[in-house]
Amino acid sequence: YSMEGIRSSWGQLLTAAGRAINETENQILIRDSKGLSEDQIREYRSSFSHFDKDNSGKLDKNEFRACLLSLSYKLGSDPTDDPVFEKIWQDLNPTDALVTFEQFLDFMTKAMVDRDTAEQVMNSFKVLAGDKPYITADVLKRELPADQAEYCIKRMAPYTGDGAVEGALDYQSFSSALYGQSEL
C-alpha cells in the first residue's frame, strides 16, 4: 500500500461517511416534517428504490404506477386507461415526466392524511362524547365549527340504545355511513 493509495481510500471513506450522515439527517427532517414513522419512510424508500430500475432517484410514469400498486394503493385495473391514476399524475405534475423521492413522499403523506377511517372518526366522536355511545347536538355545537356541527346534526340518526337521553345522536352509524360502510 502506498501513501497515495491510503489518502485516496481515506478520502473516499470520508465522502461515503458524509453522504450517510446527510441521508440520515434528511430522513430525520422528512420524518419530522411529514409526520411519517421511520418504518413508513423505510417502506416507501424500499418500494421507490425497487421500481427505480435505472437508479436515477426518479420514477417514470409506469414505475410510479407500479410503485403505488405495490403499496396497495387503489388504482384502476387497466394501466393504459386509468382515470384515477391519470388524475394523480396530473395533480403531481412531475418535472421532466419523472417523480423524485421527495415528490413521492409528499404524495404518500397527503394520501395517508386523506385516509381517515370510520374507526378513527368514531374514536374522535367518542372522545367528544365523554366515552358515551351517543353524542348530543349541544356537544357538537360546542366542539365543532358551526358548519360541521350542523352537517353532523342533520345527518346523525337519533340514538336509541342503552342510556339514551333526549336528543342523543348516533355517531357510530354516522361514522360508518360517512366511509361507505352503511347508508346515511
Side-chain angles (χ1 to χ4, degrees):
Y1 296 103
S2 70
M3 192 59 144
E4 191 57 37
I6 293 172
R7 276 191 198 121
S8 175
S9 295
W10 181 253
Q12 290 173 350
L13 179 63
L14 289 176
T15 301
R19 285 185 188 144
I21 290 169
N22 284 339
E23 178 66 23
T24 303
E25 288 172 346
N26 284 339
Q27 286 181 357
I28 291 168
L29 288 172
I30 289 169
R31 181 197 67 208
D32 293 346
S33 70
K34 298 191 183 312
L36 298 173
S37 70
E38 289 180 40
D39 288 339
Q40 288 170 315
I41 293 172
R42 198 173 303 115
E43 178 185 9
Y44 293 156
R45 169 71 71 190
S46 175
S47 185
F48 185 92
S49 296
H50 176 76
F51 290 98
D52 180 16
K53 298 297 182 194
D54 62 357
N55 294 320
S56 65
K58 298 178 181 179
L59 300 179
D60 67 24
K61 192 173 184 177
N62 292 329
E63 291 170 336
F64 177 64
R65 186 177 198 287
C67 187
L68 291 180
L69 289 170
S70 77
L71 293 167
S72 301
Y73 200 87
K74 304 291 184 220
L75 298 174
S77 59
D78 183 359
T80 60
D81 183 30
D82 183 354
V84 172
F85 179 72
E86 289 302 323
K87 173 78 170 112
I88 291 169
W89 188 254
Q90 285 176 352
D91 290 347
L92 197 58
N93 193 19
T95 56
D96 303 327
L98 297 171
V99 176
T100 64
F101 183 67
E102 184 73 22
Q103 288 173 305
F104 175 70
L105 271 184
D106 286 343
F107 171 78
M108 293 307 294
T109 302
K110 289 175 190 166
M112 288 183 56
V113 167
D114 292 342
R115 286 188 179 179
D116 285 341
T117 65
E119 184 179 349
Q120 290 170 321
V121 173
M122 270 188 249
N123 288 337
S124 296
F125 278 122
K126 186 175 183 179
V127 168
L128 292 178
D131 283 334
K132 296 181 211 111
Y134 61 86
I135 196 162
T136 64
D138 289 339
V139 171
L140 290 171
K141 288 177 183 175
R142 184 179 66 236
E143 299 293 337
L144 297 177
D147 59 330
Q148 291 177 8
E150 287 306 314
Y151 177 88
C152 293
I153 292 166
K154 286 180 183 176
R155 287 165 179 80
M156 283 185 186
Y159 178 78
T160 57
D162 291 341
V165 299
E166 186 176 332
L169 300 170
D170 185 356
Y171 65 80
Q172 294 175 358
S173 65
F174 172 79
S175 300
S176 294
L178 197 60
Y179 287 89
Q181 297 173 358
S182 68
E183 295 297 316
L184 264 179

